[in-house]
Amino acid sequence: MSLIPRWRRRLRALFRKTAVDREMDDEMRFHLEMEAEEAVHDGMAPAEARRRAMLVFGGVQRFREEGREARGIAAIEDLGMDLRYAARTLLRSPAFTIVAVLTLALGIGANTAIFSVVNAVLLRPLPYDRPQMLMSVWDGGHSKAEFTRVRDQNRTLERVAAYMDRVGFSVSGDGEPARLTGAYVSADLFGVLGAHPALGNTFAPGDDLPGTDRAVVLSDALWRERFGADIEIIGRRLDLDGVSHTVVGVMPRDFWFPRRETRLWVPVQLNESIRGDFWGSYGHFIVGRLRAGVTREQVREDVRAIGERLRLENPVWTPTDYYLQGLDVIPLASRIVPSESRRLLLVLLGAVGMVLFIACANVANLLIARGTAREREITVRATLGAARPRLIRQLATESLALAGVGAVAGLGLAFGGVRLLVGLLPPETPRLADVSVSGGVLLYTAGLAVLAGLLFGLVPALRLSGPDLAASLGDGGTRAGTGIRQRRLAGVLVAGEIALSVVLAVGAGLLLRSFARILAVDPGFRTEHMVTARVSPPKARWTDPEQHRRFYQELLDRLRGSPAIAAAGITNQAPFEQTNDIMAMWVDGYTTNPNELEVMNHRKVTPGFFDAMGVPLVRGRWFGAGDRANAPPVALIDEAAAQRYWSGKDPVGGRLRYPWPGWVTIVGVVRTVKNNDLTDQPTPTVYVPFEQAPLGPSHMTVVARAASSPVSALAALRAAVRELAPDVPVSDERTMTQRIGDSVAQPRFASLLLLSFGALALVLGAVGTYGLMAYTAQRRTREIAVRMALGARARDVLGAVVGEGARLAAAGVIVGLAMALALTRFLRGMLFEVSPTDPLTFVVVPLVLGAVALLASYLPARRATRVDPMIAIRTE
Amino acid sequence: MAITTSPELQQGALELLILKTLSLGPLHGWGISKQIRQTSRDVLRVNQGSLYPALYRLEDKGWVTAQWGISPEGRRARFYTLSAAGRKQLTRETAAWRLFSGAVNHVLQTT
């Protein structure tokens, strides 16, 4: 039969309960009357007949119950009843409920928030076709030659493309000149990803070959922000670095590659005839799609063979042994989400999971303590015939209801927490824009709530409804001997809480110490009042080196004349710009093999640079007015270079040269500065005068020391550029303090979060210990009173109670230290100059936690000893 | 000797008896119990405590339907009617019962 009328009847029975009950009563009355009437008809007295009829019929209430059960509504009703009962019980003890819900909300909310980030950054598949087949082949930067050979010679990949990430483009022409982040890509990139444009086309084959019209594909964001989502955009011309490009397509809103901030894609120029560029410009990443059934190991072998052939083809620009041995093929997802982000998020997920465990243990303890108080109620219900499964179901409903309310409150926290997290996370964390409390996250939260409810609810429930309940009916659960098993369980839970708190606090301590060490690092230059900004003359219109020289000269003059600026200089690369210009150099007396040149940081600087930065000269001399374009080439090196190549001897007068002929004489040594990261190992750096620098002009960075406020210094800088050259965009305007702050965003975030989790765990652990000891002390009030009455000193009694707490704390701390020793090695990569087994942390943390636990047991113990013995004994 | 139905043991048999009784026409609960007692020559006595739950169960399964009506004695009573599904069920159950009781008889006679 159809189920619909059946359920309609059941629902009617459920919701129109009184009507249905009345019908049943009517039917029963009719039956009784007929029965009685028949008896009267047979000669019985009417009153007696009615009594007999009732007797035969059986219990009225039982009839009702059975009738309802037959109608199939008992199960639903039980649930409703349990929920109502649970709500009443929880509302009857608001303090317990609030504490439990708050604890759970914190645990579940923190987990939901962290999981939202993990979900968006690590779990959600990349927005490409079958992304698991996409590999970062020969992971690392490569020349165009290496890319084309892999593309053409491999036998293991379906399609191969190359891209160069974070390329700055100066956009001019219509609107304000702007600096945009884009990527150079080979023509087939979109094909490899399996991505289709929302408007127009992606690149055609051959768009990356010389002699073709320059094309550009825009991101949805750029199309909207700069072009007002103009549908007629296809075919428009766009000026990039002074070169006209044709807009051929716009990608859909969901598409990004290789990062969200990438605003446009321009074909890389694969021109074999420009040999230096083709073989020597590294920085292209290779992405390939696996052929079906091919393993990463097979691709590795395949590419290794190609690398060997490359060494024969061009012995000068050649992959070194090191480069071939380290050859790796990794999933594209691991390239896009760097392992530091992955490790950080997984550590946080683990930490926040521990917080939830602690929260559950706390609520379980609350339930146990309360359960003992409810023993009498449960026993009465069991005696009156409630079946054990029914009682367990009732108690489980109560726990799940509690967890449900906690989860809802936690979701509220999570919504706020996610926004907070996104604000705090290091800005270079990939896919941050995708972080949200999504459907998947809600599911996770619901799962957590059920898990938490079962975790903290089931054990006490089983215990409460256990077989030896009848015994407790008599004593009502206030005598000293009862509840020992409960107390032991509660003790294990509290020790576990303390152990997890120790783990979290040790982790937080290590990260915090590491962070302090990082902040204590001297960057090697003055950071206060420093501002930097990038100026990028469009390459195509600024072809004459003399034009650049004049522009930078005039810019410097204007800056020095500005009252807002105390000192200024210009360089191709300021510290903490998060990029690095490097150069292969021959070091006279050190280099022996032309194939193994030294890689150094290469800095072109104008006069005033070192003064503005506050970098001191260690020996030799500064660049002078005589070090002009046509004068003999000179260079300064930093202490790191002096140490590495001249180890102890005086480098002044020593010589370097570029990969082409012509010696450069070293005239002095300056202090080493940190490059992009305070934790960097120093890399040798060479400074050359801007006017003598090789390799055509490029964008430069102005560094200026503000006379008073950084804001007005930057404003003066912008104004000076606008007046001198309106088509030159100024971008990336930041103070040095901001730059350094950003560079430590990850360790700051990690230590801040772990510290909050550690603090949360400490508070929860303390509350748990306090709760248990208060409960224990209360249960032992009578015993304590008797002992005090018999002359025991308060101190001894106090010692006995506190001793119990101390034993728990000691057990928890020892287990926690063992766990921490096993777990902190996962932090190794996140620690700077701090060992994962840092002795100070491993001594201080247990001391602090032990002290907190002792205090938490001392307070209730002291209260117990102050109770008047007479009152305590009389409460029995 | 009289047999009083108990809910656990003879639930299936009771339902069969009710369906059979209703196949003769709509009847109220008390009528059903009286009818069963009379046709079984006072051997089967349906306990009211099991009759009504059985009726509700049959109603829930859709084998009988119920309406309020007026009894021949002029009282308001709930009348149960066999549905088409119930009639089919009766045929099936009767066949099964015949098979079962025949088999039991056979076993009892061959000792």
Side-chain angles (χ1 to χ4, degrees):
Chain A
M1 67 158 292
S2 156
L3 280 174
I4 293 167
R6 184 174 185 176
W7 277 97
R8 191 181 300 146
R9 266 197 310 276
R10 284 187 180 181
L11 288 176
R12 174 171 171 266
L14 192 61
F15 291 112
R16 307 217 36 220
K17 195 171 160 188
T18 45
V20 173
D21 274 353
R22 206 163 44 235
E23 278 186 7
M24 285 196 336
D25 288 351
D26 285 353
E27 194 168 17
M28 178 171 65
R29 191 175 314 116
F30 169 74
H31 191 107
L32 289 176
E33 281 170 6
M34 293 301 289
E35 198 78 44
E37 226 162 79
E38 199 180 51
V40 171
H41 193 260
D42 290 348
M44 201 179 284
E48 174 63 8
R50 193 160 296 129
R51 203 189 63 83
R52 279 285 299 278
M54 284 292 259
L55 212 62
V56 169
F57 196 87
V60 174
Q61 194 54 39
R62 207 184 107 220
F63 167 80
R64 276 204 188 131
E65 288 290 319
E66 283 180 4
R68 301 184 69 80
E69 198 153 330
R71 285 167 183 274
I73 56 179
I76 308 178
E77 260 191 9
D78 278 359
L79 181 66
M81 208 148 71
D82 284 355
L83 278 176
R84 273 196 305 278
Y85 188 79
R88 269 207 309 276
T89 325
L90 293 178
L91 286 178
R92 224 177 8 236
S93 36
F96 160 80
T97 308
I98 288 173
V99 169
V101 164
L102 220 59
T103 307
L104 289 170
L106 282 174
I108 294 178
N111 271 276
T112 303
I114 295 287
F115 182 76
S116 303
V117 178
V118 169
N119 183 45
V121 177
L122 299 185
L123 299 183
R124 211 176 291 163
L126 299 174
Y128 316 123
D129 179 34
R130 289 170 295 138
Q132 71 284 359
M133 302 293 276
L134 291 170
M135 295 289 146
S136 179
V137 179
W138 202 351
D139 188 51
H142 295 278
S143 67
K144 297 170 179 179
E146 284 163 351
F147 156 62
T148 52
R149 300 305 182 260
V150 169
R151 182 188 63 189
D152 301 336
Q153 297 177 9
N154 84 82
R155 280 186 288 249
T156 46
L157 300 164
E158 231 173 68
R159 298 170 98 164
V160 182
Y163 65 94
M164 184 186 269
D165 190 9
R166 284 210 274 208
V167 181
F169 290 98
S170 301
V171 183
S172 49
D174 40 5
E176 277 277 293
R179 189 82 182 155
L180 296 175
T181 301
Y184 280 128
V185 302
S186 63
D188 199 25
L189 178 87
F190 296 98
V192 172
L193 300 179
H196 304 284
L199 271 182
N201 286 305
T202 53
F203 300 122
D207 268 357
D208 47 13
L209 293 177
T212 47
D213 198 28
R214 304 280 182 94
V216 57
V217 170
L218 309 182
S219 71
D220 180 84
L222 178 61
W223 177 55
R224 281 172 203 283
E225 283 155 19
R226 196 174 170 93
F227 302 102
D230 181 3
I231 314 235
E232 311 268 284
I233 186 86
I234 305 300
R236 277 260 294 271
R237 313 291 290 180
L238 184 61
D239 227 20
L240 296 177
D241 291 333
V243 177
S244 177
H245 287 64
T246 309
V247 177
V248 295
V250 177
M251 293 309 286
R253 188 192 286 262
D254 294 340
F255 179 85
W256 52 265
F257 182 88
R259 57 186 73 237
R260 273 252 171 235
E261 304 81 80
T262 309
R263 287 284 184 267
L264 49 89
W265 298 270
V266 172
V268 64
Q269 296 283 308
L270 299 174
N271 191 344
E272 286 222 35
S273 61
I274 309 176
R275 282 184 70 78
D277 175 62
F278 193 72
W279 287 89
S281 107
Y282 296 100
H284 299 86
F285 282 80
I286 304 176
V287 52
R289 182 176 287 281
L290 290 184
R291 279 181 201 271
V294 165
T295 65
R296 278 161 54 189
E297 189 48 45
Q298 285 169 306
V299 180
R300 214 184 327 257
E301 286 313 310
D302 193 16
V303 175
R304 201 189 307 275
I306 296 170
E308 295 293 347
R309 284 200 292 278
L310 269 162
R311 278 145 76 98
L312 300 177
E313 188 184 351
N314 188 335
V316 176
W317 296 100
T318 203
T320 59
D321 287 347
Y322 169 79
Y323 218 43
L324 266 187
Q325 275 154 12
L327 192 153
D328 212 354
V329 176
I330 63 171
L332 182 64
S334 310
R335 155 67 27 214
I336 286 180
V337 178
S339 56
E340 301 85 63
S341 301
R342 185 175 299 267
R343 185 176 47 212
L344 170 65
L345 289 177
L346 291 180
V347 163
L348 290 180
L349 196 64
V352 87
M354 290 187 196
V355 172
L356 184 60
F357 263 107
I358 295 175
C360 282
N362 249 1
V363 176
N365 262 346
L366 284 173
L367 279 175
I368 288 174
R370 213 170 68 102
T372 321
R374 283 177 72 186
E375 257 172 25
R376 201 195 273 268
E377 169 208 335
I378 304 277
T379 313
V380 168
R381 294 184 60 194
T383 315
L384 290 183
R388 187 161 184 243
R390 188 73 192 70
L391 276 178
I392 292 182
R393 206 160 71 193
Q394 155 72 51
L395 291 169
T397 308
E398 214 172 294
S399 314
L400 287 177
L402 206 55
V405 176
V408 170
L411 265 185
L413 289 180
F415 272 105
V418 161
R419 227 165 296 150
L420 193 72
L421 277 180
V422 170
L424 283 173
L425 267 164
E428 74 269 15
T429 311
R431 311 181 73 181
L432 266 191
D434 300 343
V435 174
S436 68
V437 182
S438 62
V441 174
L442 290 181
L443 215 64
Y444 179 81
T445 308
L448 273 188
V450 171
L451 190 74
L454 292 179
L455 215 62
F456 70 69
L458 215 54
V459 178
L462 288 176
R463 200 144 285 256
L464 263 184
S465 60
D468 59 348
L469 268 178
S472 71
L473 191 59
D475 69 47
T478 48
R479 244 179 15 212
T482 55
I484 282 182
R485 284 189 320 165
Q486 274 90 334
R487 244 164 52 203
R488 197 169 300 150
L489 176 68
V492 169
L493 287 173
V494 164
E497 282 182 50
I498 295 176
L500 289 178
S501 305
V502 167
V503 175
L504 286 174
V506 164
L510 291 175
L511 287 178
L512 214 61
R513 261 168 71 69
S514 160
F515 185 52
R517 289 262 164 110
I518 294 173
L519 288 188
V521 168
D522 175 10
F525 59 91
R526 289 176 46 174
T527 56
E528 61 283 3
H529 290 107
M530 286 295 296
V531 295
T532 67
R534 186 146 271 221
V535 288
S536 321
K539 279 179 216 153
R541 276 201 298 277
W542 290 66
T543 46
D544 180 11
E546 178 55 23
Q547 190 186 3
H548 285 260
R549 199 196 59 74
R550 234 182 8 249
F551 167 61
Y552 289 124
Q553 181 60 52
E554 284 170 19
L555 181 58
L556 274 182
D557 288 345
R558 274 175 191 251
L559 293 179
R560 293 198 181 115
S562 160
I565 289 169
I570 297 175
T571 175
N572 58 328
Q573 173 85 76
F576 294 91
E577 277 198 280
Q578 301 308 331
T579 54
N580 196 11
D581 284 2
I582 53 173
M583 182 64 82
M585 300 293 273
W586 179 297
V587 181
D588 190 25
Y590 185 88
T591 309
T592 50
N593 182 345
N595 291 335
E596 284 171 17
L597 300 183
E598 295 306 309
V599 175
M600 298 189 195
N601 300 329
H602 183 247
R603 304 288 180 261
K604 318 169 198 178
V605 298
T606 64
F609 169 80
F610 292 107
D611 177 39
M613 293 282 292
V615 177
L617 186 72
V618 179
R619 57 170 67 230
R621 68 163 175 92
W622 291 116
F623 296 141
D627 298 320
R628 309 295 302 263
N630 298 323
V634 291
L636 288 165
I637 58 172
D638 69 353
E639 286 177 303
Q643 178 61 37
R644 168 122 18 128
Y645 306 123
W646 279 273
S647 49
K649 293 197 287 291
D650 186 2
V652 174
R655 298 188 305 173
L656 301 167
R657 73 172 171 79
Y658 292 105
W660 50 86
W663 290 108
V664 179
T665 308
I666 295 165
V667 295
V669 178
V670 295
R671 187 108 154 263
T672 302
V673 301
K674 289 292 174 185
N675 195 31
N676 281 324
D677 199 328
L678 289 171
T679 61
D680 267 349
Q681 284 303 311
T683 332
T685 303
V686 55
Y687 297 89
V688 298
F690 177 68
E691 289 190 26
Q692 295 184 345
L695 292 186
S698 65
H699 47 70
M700 300 291 274
T701 296
V702 177
V703 296
R705 201 162 71 231
S708 53
S709 106
V711 179
S712 49
L714 282 172
L717 169 61
R718 251 194 320 269
V721 173
R722 200 177 317 118
E723 283 162 30
L724 277 173
D727 65 336
V728 173
V730 177
S731 60
D732 208 14
E733 303 143 275
R734 317 281 294 281
T735 67
M736 191 53 80
T737 320
Q738 282 169 334
R739 285 189 188 286
I740 293 180
D742 284 352
S743 80
V744 296
Q746 177 134 339
R748 185 177 52 218
F749 178 76
S751 46
L752 181 68
L753 249 69
L754 224 55
L755 190 68
S756 338
F757 293 158
L760 194 57
L762 185 66
V763 170
L764 289 177
V767 168
T769 312
Y770 178 86
L772 174 69
M773 296 321 292
Y775 164 67
T776 307
Q778 189 209 327
R779 299 298 299 263
R780 291 174 67 180
T781 304
R782 181 165 170 267
E783 175 209 330
I784 292 170
V786 169
R787 285 170 66 179
M788 303 268 295
L790 292 179
R793 282 174 308 175
R795 213 178 49 194
D796 298 337
V797 176
L798 206 61
V801 177
V802 174
E804 198 177 323
R807 273 196 300 281
L808 282 182
V813 164
I814 288 169
V815 173
L817 282 179
M819 286 168 68
L821 274 175
L823 288 172
T824 48
R825 61 200 157 91
F826 291 111
L827 294 179
R828 188 183 296 276
M830 297 166 73
L831 297 177
F832 174 68
E833 290 183 356
V834 173
S835 144
T837 52
D838 178 49
L840 184 66
T841 310
F842 271 80
V843 168
V844 169
V845 163
L847 285 181
V848 170
L849 263 78
V852 170
L854 281 185
L855 185 68
S857 24
Y858 169 74
L859 293 176
R862 196 184 52 174
R863 182 156 2 103
T865 56
R866 290 191 178 165
V867 170
D868 181 347
M870 284 318 290
I871 294 172
I873 295 168
R874 227 181 279 137
T875 52
E876 190 72 342
Chain B
M1 190 186 84
I3 299 170
T4 304
T5 56
S6 71
E8 291 82 10
L9 287 178
Q10 285 136 352
Q11 191 168 302
L14 176 58
E15 287 182 4
L16 179 58
L17 290 176
I18 294 172
L19 292 176
K20 176 67 191 170
T21 309
L22 288 179
S23 73
L24 306 173
L27 212 53
H28 46 66
W30 186 74
I32 294 171
S33 81
K34 192 173 170 188
Q35 179 82 27
I36 292 175
R37 207 168 83 196
Q38 284 175 357
T39 21
S40 69
R41 295 195 203 91
D42 229 9
V43 173
L44 297 175
R45 289 186 189 164
V46 182
N47 183 326
Q48 290 85 343
S50 41
L51 171 68
Y52 285 96
L55 278 170
Y56 298 148
R57 222 167 13 246
L58 291 174
E59 194 188 350
D60 186 50
K61 288 172 180 165
W63 293 337
V64 305
T65 56
Q67 295 93 33
W68 287 94
I70 304 297
S71 73
E73 298 84 16
R75 288 174 193 275
R76 206 168 151 271
R78 202 160 188 253
F79 282 89
Y80 293 87
T81 313
L82 197 62
S83 70
R87 202 167 291 280
K88 232 179 279 170
Q89 181 66 16
L90 174 60
T91 321
R92 263 200 306 272
E93 290 282 303
T94 312
W97 178 262
R98 292 230 165 95
L99 199 65
F100 173 70
S101 58
V104 171
N105 279 338
H106 195 68
V107 170
L108 292 178
Q109 280 160 12
T110 52
T111 330

